[in-house]
Each structure stands twice: as structure tokens, then as C-alpha cells.
Amino acid sequence: MTHNLKKTFAMLVLAIFGSALLYNCEPDPDSLGEQLFNGDAAQGNEIAYPVIAYNYDNNDSIRSDASRLISGLSESGVTTNVAVLGAFTESQFGMQRASYVTQLRMPTDNFDFNGANPKVDSVVLVVRPPANTASNTYFFEGDSLRTNTYTKTDFPVDGVATEVSIEKKTYPVRKYGKIGGASKSMKINVHEVTTFLDTNDDSFKRSNKPISTGELLGSGVFDGNISSTSITKKSDNSVVFTGNLGFRMKLSNTNFFQTHILDKKGKPELQDAANFIRYFKGIKISVDETDRYLYQFSPNDLQVIMYYKYDKTDNGTTTRPQTTLNFNLGSANAHIGLYEYNRTGSAVKDALDNSTPAEGDERLFVQGMGGPSVVVKIKDETINELKEKLITDKVGIVSAKIRVYLDPATWKNTGSTEDRKFTLLNNTLNAGKIDYSKLTFTSDLTNGLGLYYYKENPGYYDFVVTKTVKDIVEGKTETVGDATQPIVNKPLIINAGAFAASATGTLLGVRNTTRAFDMNRIILTGVAKTNANPKRIQLMVTYGTKK
């Protein structure tokens, strides 16, 4: 397999208890059926069976609090969080806009601001990428990485005008949506939140929770780039300032911070964190536009920095030095991804409104961040036919996979690297509804057999269900509560996103996926009502018989 082809493959192959699986272009059938052959020559046959597959409406709602904005764990065990900002519109899925809400806290209780008469100079919001490295976070469009170095002779260092060298490196963010031209820039707004973010209330954990806002704290234009800055003294090359990758935006409403923060020195509002988050309830970051692009950032690395001066008396002399207050926006605070949709006139609205679960749908729509999922049901008559083959023909199932093709109308992120990901999970539907609290891994994934692989030409995904099908056909049992019962033919749920994992590959749990911030939207070819479409979704079973 060529290097370029490898890069296009989207196979997720994490084993559940830390053992790693390899990527593969055309994986050999697994050995689960070999016990029937006992070393004798065997003949492999592949047969395609129809399945039922239909669109499932998640009502554009998903749990999107801090416990779901997790992409994985670092080697040191630190949680890596990801959130989304921006907006994008196209005809198949309509408009999707992502905002973000968080609490913030004072650095310490009863903060004393270093001295008397504190006054705000400026306040800055810094939005940082999901990982503070350029190589795995940004897509470089040609030579769009820019480095600008210049000298400034009067840069203040400890109150003294100093000659410094300033180096600024600018990187384009990885965008999902429109690229360049009139779509390059978005207006970002920061508002005061006036709704108390009660993390004990489950409704505050969902992406469509109404959150009220008050004063506008500031606005700025984001041009799709973020920068890192390094400032060094010319005299001895010592580092004066280092600014990690991020987008810095000045919040113009300094009066708000003066009256709501500095003027409350010594007051109950700043006494402790519990008082503060009920007084200053948080901030909301959003965009004006509805048709630009989506991009990801790290919520735990957000910064709101307030620069202020205060009275300092030393040996009878009073000066007013400048210092900073860094609000705490880290993991102790509430984090909520807010997502809104306008699907009027879109293809996905028509598909969801006219879905036929009993027969299946011809086009299948999958979208992250609360968008639709796909339910796949292997037909009971297929299971019965395979059971009959097992008994009468003594066949052994060597491989089984759900093959589903990309629909030609699926939107491709041509301005950046394509990064489609899926999860496949078992669920017993309750009155036709998915109970997301009762999803389970497929037996294939728990036994280290992988999840899916992608064949670029002609463009299909094969979801591995070998052990899932064998367990049902061969009458294997499972323990449910205190009872042992045969494994039943459960529906399979295809969602956007990947399973979140630790640095060693251990999956973090069945509900810990990247679905809450996955920006992708994918259309798959579903059930062909006339069976005329050879690219319809099918169950592909390879079985062996003795010659």
C-alpha cells in the first residue's frame, strides 16, 4: 500500500485493553471459523445479504459538557479536551453553528489585587488550539506558514524602554467548511453569561440548553490564523516574553471588569469560588456568521488575562506598576458546547422527516455534534439462513462485515485534511429510541478485531462484525443480570466520531467518544428499494466449506 493511500485510510483499530491493532488495506479473513477445517483444504465463499439501515434523528442534541469534550488522555494521564467554534452551511445538512460557554474563577479566594486603588488597563481573551504543536493541529496550505521578525527599540522591560527582537509565527487553523476569500474571517463575540451554570442539573450538560447572556465584553475578527510570539533582548538574547500558539482578542468593555471585579475588592462576591461563579456566572464565545467554517480549540487552555495597575508604596514613594490577573478557566469550571441548526430546505431534513425504519432509507446521513446517526439491523431471516448453513452445510463463518459506500453527494473538506471517523455500537432500541446510557461495544471490538477499514476506490467502509454475527449464529450465550441467555440480534448504531483513548490505546469507555465535537458530516448509500443499486449497504459474509 502506498504512503499516500495509507494517509487516506480512516480505519480505527484500537483494542479495548491497550493492545494495538494494525491498519490494513485488505485484511485477511480472521481465523474464527478455522476450527471447522482442522487443517484440511477449505473453500472460501463470499455472499452479500441485504440489511435494514435507516436515519436516526438525535434532535440536534447531544451531551456536550466537560465529561464529553474529551479526545483522550496523555501519557501522564492528563485529560485532553476539545471544543468547537464557528459556523458552516451547505445544502445537504444545512446550517450548523457552534458556540462555547464556560465559567471562570478568581486565582485565589479574597484576591487583594496586590495593593490599593487597582484600575484596569486592558483585558485579553486567548483561544488556543487542541494541541500546542503545529505539526498535528494545523493544515499548511502551501507556504502559508509565515514568520515575521522585527526590532522594537522602546519595548518596556521592567519599566525601562529596551531594544528587543520580536518573532511572530503565524499558522492557519485546520478548517472544516469554506476556505479563503470572503469566508476567511469571522467575527467572534464574547458575552457575559447571566444564567447560573448548575452542573448538578443534567439539562446544563446538553448542547441545546438555552443560556442567557448580558453585556458584550468584546468582539474581534478572527482571520483563520493563530500565532506564537517570542520577544528577546537585543543586548543579551535573554527571553522577555513567550506567547504560545493562540488567537488573542482584546475585550473592549474594560468598565465591566472594573466595576464587576476590581471594585469588588474585599466584598462577598470575591470571597470564594462558590460566591464568584454565582456572581460572575461565566462567558459565552460565539460567532456572528452562519456560513464560514468550524474549527477546534482547547477549552482548558482558554485564558482571560486582565492587565491592571495599583498603588505601590516603597520608602515613602508611591508608584503604579502594572501586573496581571489570570482568571482560572480550567477543568474545575463548567464547560458546555452549544450547537444550533437550521435545516430548512436541506436534504437531511427531508431524509429524517421521511425515514422508514421498517424498510430502510436510500441515503444515510451521519453528523457529529448531535446530528443524525444510522441504525443498521441484520435481518432475522439472514441469521436463520446462516444458522441453516451452519447445520446442514457445516460451513464456518470466516469473516463478516457491514459494507457501506460513500454517497457521491457527501461533502468533502477539500481545503484541509479529511478526517472522517465512526463508532459502531450495539443497542437494544426501546420503542424505536436509542438509549445512549445502554450502548455496548460490539464483541468484535472487545475481542481486538478492530472496527472498520476504508477502501478509497470505489469508496466504501467495511465495519467488522465477524464475532458479532458468529456469536448469534452459533448460539453463544451472554449474562444479563443474573440470567444466562442466547446472544440476540441487536441493532448496530453508526455514529460520527472516534472512541476516546489513552496514550497507550486503552479505550476510555463506551460513551467516551469524540462525537460531541466531531465536525464531520457524511452521507452513505443506504438501502436500494429496487435492489438495483450495486453499491447499496450490505452484510458481506465469507464462509468456508470443505472441498
Side-chain angles (χ1 to χ4, degrees), residues 213-232:
T213 57
E215 291 193 42
L216 176 66
L217 305 181
S219 297
V221 175
F222 177 61
D223 66 358
N225 297 295
I226 53 114
S227 301
S228 63
T229 303
S230 177
I231 303 175
T232 58

mmCIF file with all atom_site columns, all heavy atoms in Angstrom, residues 213-232:
data_model
loop_
_atom_site.group_PDB
_atom_site.id
_atom_site.type_symbol
_atom_site.label_atom_id
_atom_site.label_alt_id
_atom_site.label_comp_id
_atom_site.label_asym_id
_atom_site.label_entity_id
_atom_site.label_seq_id
_atom_site.pdbx_PDB_ins_code
_atom_site.Cartn_x
_atom_site.Cartn_y
_atom_site.Cartn_z
_atom_site.occupancy
_atom_site.B_iso_or_equiv
_atom_site.pdbx_formal_charge
_atom_site.auth_seq_id
_atom_site.auth_comp_id
_atom_site.auth_asym_id
_atom_site.auth_atom_id
_atom_site.pdbx_PDB_model_num
ATOM 1   N N   . THR A 1 213 ? -27.528 35.670 28.013 1.00 0.00 ? 213 THR A N   1
ATOM 2   C CA  . THR A 1 213 ? -26.324 36.492 28.065 1.00 0.00 ? 213 THR A CA  1
ATOM 3   C C   . THR A 1 213 ? -26.678 37.933 28.385 1.00 0.00 ? 213 THR A C   1
ATOM 4   O O   . THR A 1 213 ? -27.808 38.376 28.162 1.00 0.00 ? 213 THR A O   1
ATOM 5   C CB  . THR A 1 213 ? -25.555 36.443 26.728 1.00 0.00 ? 213 THR A CB  1
ATOM 6   O OG1 . THR A 1 213 ? -26.414 36.868 25.666 1.00 0.00 ? 213 THR A OG1 1
ATOM 7   C CG2 . THR A 1 213 ? -25.045 35.042 26.442 1.00 0.00 ? 213 THR A CG2 1
ATOM 8   N N   . GLY A 1 214 ? -25.689 38.662 28.908 1.00 0.00 ? 214 GLY A N   1
ATOM 9   C CA  . GLY A 1 214 ? -25.871 40.066 29.260 1.00 0.00 ? 214 GLY A CA  1
ATOM 10  C C   . GLY A 1 214 ? -24.967 40.957 28.437 1.00 0.00 ? 214 GLY A C   1
ATOM 11  O O   . GLY A 1 214 ? -25.070 40.992 27.204 1.00 0.00 ? 214 GLY A O   1
ATOM 12  N N   . GLU A 1 215 ? -24.041 41.642 29.087 1.00 0.00 ? 215 GLU A N   1
ATOM 13  C CA  . GLU A 1 215 ? -23.217 42.633 28.397 1.00 0.00 ? 215 GLU A CA  1
ATOM 14  C C   . GLU A 1 215 ? -22.252 41.990 27.408 1.00 0.00 ? 215 GLU A C   1
ATOM 15  O O   . GLU A 1 215 ? -21.714 40.907 27.641 1.00 0.00 ? 215 GLU A O   1
ATOM 16  C CB  . GLU A 1 215 ? -22.421 43.452 29.418 1.00 0.00 ? 215 GLU A CB  1
ATOM 17  C CG  . GLU A 1 215 ? -23.262 44.383 30.266 1.00 0.00 ? 215 GLU A CG  1
ATOM 18  C CD  . GLU A 1 215 ? -22.406 45.388 31.012 1.00 0.00 ? 215 GLU A CD  1
ATOM 19  O OE1 . GLU A 1 215 ? -21.452 45.918 30.387 1.00 0.00 ? 215 GLU A OE1 1
ATOM 20  O OE2 . GLU A 1 215 ? -22.669 45.632 32.196 1.00 0.00 ? 215 GLU A OE2 1
ATOM 21  N N   . LEU A 1 216 ? -22.037 42.706 26.308 1.00 0.00 ? 216 LEU A N   1
ATOM 22  C CA  . LEU A 1 216 ? -20.996 42.332 25.357 1.00 0.00 ? 216 LEU A CA  1
ATOM 23  C C   . LEU A 1 216 ? -19.656 42.770 25.935 1.00 0.00 ? 216 LEU A C   1
ATOM 24  O O   . LEU A 1 216 ? -19.438 43.951 26.214 1.00 0.00 ? 216 LEU A O   1
ATOM 25  C CB  . LEU A 1 216 ? -21.236 43.003 24.006 1.00 0.00 ? 216 LEU A CB  1
ATOM 26  C CG  . LEU A 1 216 ? -20.164 42.770 22.935 1.00 0.00 ? 216 LEU A CG  1
ATOM 27  C CD1 . LEU A 1 216 ? -20.125 41.303 22.527 1.00 0.00 ? 216 LEU A CD1 1
ATOM 28  C CD2 . LEU A 1 216 ? -20.423 43.667 21.726 1.00 0.00 ? 216 LEU A CD2 1
ATOM 29  N N   . LEU A 1 217 ? -18.763 41.824 26.139 1.00 0.00 ? 217 LEU A N   1
ATOM 30  C CA  . LEU A 1 217 ? -17.463 42.138 26.725 1.00 0.00 ? 217 LEU A CA  1
ATOM 31  C C   . LEU A 1 217 ? -16.430 42.518 25.678 1.00 0.00 ? 217 LEU A C   1
ATOM 32  O O   . LEU A 1 217 ? -15.437 43.186 25.997 1.00 0.00 ? 217 LEU A O   1
ATOM 33  C CB  . LEU A 1 217 ? -16.960 40.941 27.548 1.00 0.00 ? 217 LEU A CB  1
ATOM 34  C CG  . LEU A 1 217 ? -17.909 40.447 28.640 1.00 0.00 ? 217 LEU A CG  1
ATOM 35  C CD1 . LEU A 1 217 ? -17.286 39.290 29.402 1.00 0.00 ? 217 LEU A CD1 1
ATOM 36  C CD2 . LEU A 1 217 ? -18.284 41.593 29.585 1.00 0.00 ? 217 LEU A CD2 1
ATOM 37  N N   . GLY A 1 218 ? -16.666 42.095 24.456 1.00 0.00 ? 218 GLY A N   1
ATOM 38  C CA  . GLY A 1 218 ? -15.738 42.459 23.386 1.00 0.00 ? 218 GLY A CA  1
ATOM 39  C C   . GLY A 1 218 ? -15.995 41.653 22.138 1.00 0.00 ? 218 GLY A C   1
ATOM 40  O O   . GLY A 1 218 ? -16.623 40.588 22.164 1.00 0.00 ? 218 GLY A O   1
ATOM 41  N N   . SER A 1 219 ? -15.515 42.163 21.008 1.00 0.00 ? 219 SER A N   1
ATOM 42  C CA  . SER A 1 219 ? -15.622 41.491 19.720 1.00 0.00 ? 219 SER A CA  1
ATOM 43  C C   . SER A 1 219 ? -14.289 41.624 18.990 1.00 0.00 ? 219 SER A C   1
ATOM 44  O O   . SER A 1 219 ? -13.529 42.569 19.226 1.00 0.00 ? 219 SER A O   1
ATOM 45  C CB  . SER A 1 219 ? -16.742 42.092 18.857 1.00 0.00 ? 219 SER A CB  1
ATOM 46  O OG  . SER A 1 219 ? -18.001 41.931 19.462 1.00 0.00 ? 219 SER A OG  1
ATOM 47  N N   . GLY A 1 220 ? -14.039 40.678 18.114 1.00 0.00 ? 220 GLY A N   1
ATOM 48  C CA  . GLY A 1 220 ? -12.815 40.730 17.323 1.00 0.00 ? 220 GLY A CA  1
ATOM 49  C C   . GLY A 1 220 ? -12.977 39.907 16.065 1.00 0.00 ? 220 GLY A C   1
ATOM 50  O O   . GLY A 1 220 ? -13.857 39.045 15.981 1.00 0.00 ? 220 GLY A O   1
ATOM 51  N N   . VAL A 1 221 ? -12.145 40.168 15.082 1.00 0.00 ? 221 VAL A N   1
ATOM 52  C CA  . VAL A 1 221 ? -12.184 39.441 13.818 1.00 0.00 ? 221 VAL A CA  1
ATOM 53  C C   . VAL A 1 221 ? -11.110 38.358 13.840 1.00 0.00 ? 221 VAL A C   1
ATOM 54  O O   . VAL A 1 221 ? -9.932  38.648 14.048 1.00 0.00 ? 221 VAL A O   1
ATOM 55  C CB  . VAL A 1 221 ? -11.973 40.388 12.621 1.00 0.00 ? 221 VAL A CB  1
ATOM 56  C CG1 . VAL A 1 221 ? -11.891 39.584 11.324 1.00 0.00 ? 221 VAL A CG1 1
ATOM 57  C CG2 . VAL A 1 221 ? -13.106 41.403 12.549 1.00 0.00 ? 221 VAL A CG2 1
ATOM 58  N N   . PHE A 1 222 ? -11.547 37.130 13.638 1.00 0.00 ? 222 PHE A N   1
ATOM 59  C CA  . PHE A 1 222 ? -10.616 36.005 13.534 1.00 0.00 ? 222 PHE A CA  1
ATOM 60  C C   . PHE A 1 222 ? -10.414 35.694 12.068 1.00 0.00 ? 222 PHE A C   1
ATOM 61  O O   . PHE A 1 222 ? -11.373 35.425 11.340 1.00 0.00 ? 222 PHE A O   1
ATOM 62  C CB  . PHE A 1 222 ? -11.196 34.792 14.265 1.00 0.00 ? 222 PHE A CB  1
ATOM 63  C CG  . PHE A 1 222 ? -10.345 33.563 14.161 1.00 0.00 ? 222 PHE A CG  1
ATOM 64  C CD1 . PHE A 1 222 ? -9.054  33.555 14.665 1.00 0.00 ? 222 PHE A CD1 1
ATOM 65  C CD2 . PHE A 1 222 ? -10.833 32.402 13.565 1.00 0.00 ? 222 PHE A CD2 1
ATOM 66  C CE1 . PHE A 1 222 ? -8.264  32.423 14.583 1.00 0.00 ? 222 PHE A CE1 1
ATOM 67  C CE2 . PHE A 1 222 ? -10.050 31.266 13.481 1.00 0.00 ? 222 PHE A CE2 1
ATOM 68  C CZ  . PHE A 1 222 ? -8.773  31.284 13.987 1.00 0.00 ? 222 PHE A CZ  1
ATOM 69  N N   . ASP A 1 223 ? -9.162  35.760 11.601 1.00 0.00 ? 223 ASP A N   1
ATOM 70  C CA  . ASP A 1 223 ? -8.885  35.596 10.179 1.00 0.00 ? 223 ASP A CA  1
ATOM 71  C C   . ASP A 1 223 ? -8.461  34.174 9.812  1.00 0.00 ? 223 ASP A C   1
ATOM 72  O O   . ASP A 1 223 ? -7.934  33.947 8.714  1.00 0.00 ? 223 ASP A O   1
ATOM 73  C CB  . ASP A 1 223 ? -7.813  36.592 9.719  1.00 0.00 ? 223 ASP A CB  1
ATOM 74  C CG  . ASP A 1 223 ? -6.447  36.328 10.358 1.00 0.00 ? 223 ASP A CG  1
ATOM 75  O OD1 . ASP A 1 223 ? -6.333  35.401 11.182 1.00 0.00 ? 223 ASP A OD1 1
ATOM 76  O OD2 . ASP A 1 223 ? -5.494  37.068 10.018 1.00 0.00 ? 223 ASP A OD2 1
ATOM 77  N N   . GLY A 1 224 ? -8.698  33.235 10.697 1.00 0.00 ? 224 GLY A N   1
ATOM 78  C CA  . GLY A 1 224 ? -8.365  31.851 10.386 1.00 0.00 ? 224 GLY A CA  1
ATOM 79  C C   . GLY A 1 224 ? -6.945  31.462 10.721 1.00 0.00 ? 224 GLY A C   1
ATOM 80  O O   . GLY A 1 224 ? -6.520  30.343 10.408 1.00 0.00 ? 224 GLY A O   1
ATOM 81  N N   . ASN A 1 225 ? -6.206  32.354 11.360 1.00 0.00 ? 225 ASN A N   1
ATOM 82  C CA  . ASN A 1 225 ? -4.811  32.080 11.701 1.00 0.00 ? 225 ASN A CA  1
ATOM 83  C C   . ASN A 1 225 ? -4.589  32.266 13.201 1.00 0.00 ? 225 ASN A C   1
ATOM 84  O O   . ASN A 1 225 ? -5.250  33.078 13.843 1.00 0.00 ? 225 ASN A O   1
ATOM 85  C CB  . ASN A 1 225 ? -3.872  33.018 10.950 1.00 0.00 ? 225 ASN A CB  1
ATOM 86  C CG  . ASN A 1 225 ? -3.945  32.827 9.449  1.00 0.00 ? 225 ASN A CG  1
ATOM 87  O OD1 . ASN A 1 225 ? -3.586  31.785 8.930  1.00 0.00 ? 225 ASN A OD1 1
ATOM 88  N ND2 . ASN A 1 225 ? -4.424  33.848 8.744  1.00 0.00 ? 225 ASN A ND2 1
ATOM 89  N N   . ILE A 1 226 ? -3.636  31.540 13.720 1.00 0.00 ? 226 ILE A N   1
ATOM 90  C CA  . ILE A 1 226 ? -3.198  31.755 15.096 1.00 0.00 ? 226 ILE A CA  1
ATOM 91  C C   . ILE A 1 226 ? -1.684  31.935 15.086 1.00 0.00 ? 226 ILE A C   1
ATOM 92  O O   . ILE A 1 226 ? -1.006  31.586 14.115 1.00 0.00 ? 226 ILE A O   1
ATOM 93  C CB  . ILE A 1 226 ? -3.628  30.622 16.026 1.00 0.00 ? 226 ILE A CB  1
ATOM 94  C CG1 . ILE A 1 226 ? -3.190  29.288 15.456 1.00 0.00 ? 226 ILE A CG1 1
ATOM 95  C CG2 . ILE A 1 226 ? -5.130  30.630 16.210 1.00 0.00 ? 226 ILE A CG2 1
ATOM 96  C CD1 . ILE A 1 226 ? -2.187  28.612 16.247 1.00 0.00 ? 226 ILE A CD1 1
ATOM 97  N N   . SER A 1 227 ? -1.159  32.516 16.144 1.00 0.00 ? 227 SER A N   1
ATOM 98  C CA  . SER A 1 227 ? 0.242   32.914 16.137 1.00 0.00 ? 227 SER A CA  1
ATOM 99  C C   . SER A 1 227 ? 0.933   32.521 17.437 1.00 0.00 ? 227 SER A C   1
ATOM 100 O O   . SER A 1 227 ? 0.308   32.373 18.489 1.00 0.00 ? 227 SER A O   1
ATOM 101 C CB  . SER A 1 227 ? 0.369   34.436 15.958 1.00 0.00 ? 227 SER A CB  1
ATOM 102 O OG  . SER A 1 227 ? -0.235  34.864 14.766 1.00 0.00 ? 227 SER A OG  1
ATOM 103 N N   . SER A 1 228 ? 2.245   32.387 17.331 1.00 0.00 ? 228 SER A N   1
ATOM 104 C CA  . SER A 1 228 ? 3.109   32.288 18.503 1.00 0.00 ? 228 SER A CA  1
ATOM 105 C C   . SER A 1 228 ? 4.098   33.448 18.429 1.00 0.00 ? 228 SER A C   1
ATOM 106 O O   . SER A 1 228 ? 4.508   33.865 17.340 1.00 0.00 ? 228 SER A O   1
ATOM 107 C CB  . SER A 1 228 ? 3.859   30.954 18.541 1.00 0.00 ? 228 SER A CB  1
ATOM 108 O OG  . SER A 1 228 ? 4.723   30.840 17.433 1.00 0.00 ? 228 SER A OG  1
ATOM 109 N N   . THR A 1 229 ? 4.470   33.975 19.587 1.00 0.00 ? 229 THR A N   1
ATOM 110 C CA  . THR A 1 229 ? 5.339   35.155 19.633 1.00 0.00 ? 229 THR A CA  1
ATOM 111 C C   . THR A 1 229 ? 6.485   34.919 20.609 1.00 0.00 ? 229 THR A C   1
ATOM 112 O O   . THR A 1 229 ? 6.279   34.376 21.694 1.00 0.00 ? 229 THR A O   1
ATOM 113 C CB  . THR A 1 229 ? 4.544   36.401 20.065 1.00 0.00 ? 229 THR A CB  1
ATOM 114 O OG1 . THR A 1 229 ? 3.448   36.590 19.174 1.00 0.00 ? 229 THR A OG1 1
ATOM 115 C CG2 . THR A 1 229 ? 5.429   37.642 20.052 1.00 0.00 ? 229 THR A CG2 1
ATOM 116 N N   . SER A 1 230 ? 7.661   35.347 20.207 1.00 0.00 ? 230 SER A N   1
ATOM 117 C CA  . SER A 1 230 ? 8.829   35.279 21.074 1.00 0.00 ? 230 SER A CA  1
ATOM 118 C C   . SER A 1 230 ? 9.525   36.635 21.056 1.00 0.00 ? 230 SER A C   1
ATOM 119 O O   . SER A 1 230 ? 9.807   37.184 19.985 1.00 0.00 ? 230 SER A O   1
ATOM 120 C CB  . SER A 1 230 ? 9.792   34.192 20.591 1.00 0.00 ? 230 SER A CB  1
ATOM 121 O OG  . SER A 1 230 ? 10.959  34.160 21.389 1.00 0.00 ? 230 SER A OG  1
ATOM 122 N N   . ILE A 1 231 ? 9.787   37.200 22.250 1.00 0.00 ? 231 ILE A N   1
ATOM 123 C CA  . ILE A 1 231 ? 10.450  38.500 22.367 1.00 0.00 ? 231 ILE A CA  1
ATOM 124 C C   . ILE A 1 231 ? 11.736  38.309 23.165 1.00 0.00 ? 231 ILE A C   1
ATOM 125 O O   . ILE A 1 231 ? 11.715  37.773 24.273 1.00 0.00 ? 231 ILE A O   1
ATOM 126 C CB  . ILE A 1 231 ? 9.539   39.533 23.057 1.00 0.00 ? 231 ILE A CB  1
ATOM 127 C CG1 . ILE A 1 231 ? 8.212   39.674 22.301 1.00 0.00 ? 231 ILE A CG1 1
ATOM 128 C CG2 . ILE A 1 231 ? 10.233  40.886 23.170 1.00 0.00 ? 231 ILE A CG2 1
ATOM 129 C CD1 . ILE A 1 231 ? 7.214   40.590 22.991 1.00 0.00 ? 231 ILE A CD1 1
ATOM 130 N N   . THR A 1 232 ? 12.853  38.748 22.601 1.00 0.00 ? 232 THR A N   1
ATOM 131 C CA  . THR A 1 232 ? 14.156  38.627 23.269 1.00 0.00 ? 232 THR A CA  1
ATOM 132 C C   . THR A 1 232 ? 14.871  39.972 23.274 1.00 0.00 ? 232 THR A C   1
ATOM 133 O O   . THR A 1 232 ? 14.713  40.779 22.357 1.00 0.00 ? 232 THR A O   1
ATOM 134 C CB  . THR A 1 232 ? 15.044  37.582 22.575 1.00 0.00 ? 232 THR A CB  1
ATOM 135 O OG1 . THR A 1 232 ? 15.221  37.956 21.194 1.00 0.00 ? 232 THR A OG1 1
ATOM 136 C CG2 . THR A 1 232 ? 14.427  36.202 22.631 1.00 0.00 ? 232 THR A CG2 1
#
